[in-house]
Amino acid sequence: MVESVVTPEDNAFSQQERAAVYRAIATRRDVRRGFVDRPLPDELLERLLAAAHSAPSVGLMQPSRFIVIRDFATRHAVRNVFAAANAQAAATYEGAQAERYSSLKLEGILEAPQNLCVVCDTRSARGYKLGRNTMPETAVYSTVCAVQNLWLAARAEGVGVGWVSILDPARLRDVLRIPDHILPVAYLCLGYVDAFAAEPELERAGWERRMPLESAICYDTYSEDGTR
Ligand SMILES: Cc1cc2nc3c(=O)[nH]c(=O)nc-3n(C[C@H](O)[C@H](O)[C@H](O)COP(=O)(O)O)c2cc1C
């Protein structure tokens, strides 16, 4: 009888499955335009939320909570919060950069049929503080992991996601009735889209370029060589 030998590589996904994972990562985009006016089916939204909910979290704290927003009046109120914050941000730039900033499309709050506010219950006792004694901010990091899970799952489902951070958190709290001890982390616009762009919108608009991987890596100790 031939004994089967299990190698570490056997834990890997199949070639095709790996390609799908890397494809989702490489082709995920922040989407702010081209949303199709069709709500996502409930089962699909549930799959995306389940992907988010299964993200790693410090001490298995699972501090993320999800506010699904479909109501037009609520989205309209959030759009106003964005407009005020965006006007303030625009005033911080000068000359050609101010003009370029003003031409950017930085949200799709009303175009996307559903929005999602991902918040973090930073004070939750879940996880008994494991991993949070010296780095309490890991609660929020856990919520960011949840957002990224959802973002990648959405790309695989053909669903566009755009993150809007140009918001005054206090005003956002008012609109969504988020209590003081709950931290708004991500305001997302999501929906079917007509296309996914090949490159980041900010790159296409000439605002910023992606930096090469080599510039982000150093070995053994921190070094700023290679970064600009
Ligand atoms: C924490 C965070 C906040 C962001 N806030 C905004 C925003 O307010 N408006 C916007 O248009 N894009 C926002 N983005 C999207 C980035 O601009 C985008 O991820 C980046 O330009 C790279 O493009 P890509 O996601 O398509 O690869 C945000 C992304 C992150 C991670």
Side-chain angles (χ1 to χ4, degrees), residues 43-155:
E43 319 82 73
L44 172 43
L45 186 58
E46 208 165 295
R47 284 199 295 278
L48 299 183
L49 294 173
H53 189 61
S54 63
S57 64
V58 64
L60 193 51
M61 183 189 184
Q62 294 186 296
S64 307
R65 306 289 176 264
F66 308 97
I67 309 171
V68 178
I69 304 147
R70 294 196 175 107
D71 179 55
F72 186 79
T74 306
R75 286 189 283 137
H76 203 264
V78 176
R79 178 69 177 64
N80 288 341
V81 176
F82 164 81
N86 198 40
Q88 264 184 11
T92 65
Y93 299 106
E94 283 175 6
Q97 204 174 20
E99 255 171 60
R100 198 172 295 141
Y101 183 86
S102 299
S103 71
L104 296 172
K105 168 106 173 88
L106 296 170
E107 54 76 41
I109 297 167
L110 295 180
E111 294 96 321
Q114 51 275 295
N115 294 179
L116 180 71
C117 186
V118 188
V119 300
C120 181
D121 184 355
T122 55
R123 293 198 325 213
S124 166
R126 285 188 45 84
Y128 304 100
K129 285 217 165 164
L130 190 152
R132 280 192 285 145
N133 276 311
T134 50
M135 295 185 81
E137 61 273 28
T138 47
V140 179
Y141 298 167
S142 303
T143 295
V144 176
C145 289
V147 172
Q148 181 71 346
N149 261 17
L150 179 139
W151 213 337
L152 292 174
R155 178 61 190 90

Side-chain angles (χ1 to χ4, degrees), residues 25-32 82 101 104-108 144 147-148 151 161-167 185-187 197-203 207-208 210:
I25 292 168
T27 64
R28 180 212 51 77
R29 287 274 78 82
D30 186 89
V31 180
R32 307 131 199 194
F82 164 81
Y101 183 86
L104 296 172
K105 168 106 173 88
L106 296 170
E107 54 76 41
V144 176
V147 172
Q148 181 71 346
W151 213 337
V161 174
W163 186 325
V164 188
S165 55
I166 306 164
L167 298 166
V185 175
Y187 192 89
E199 60 284 308
E201 176 126 2
L202 292 185
E203 204 166 61
W207 181 264
E208 184 57 283
R210 281 173 284 186

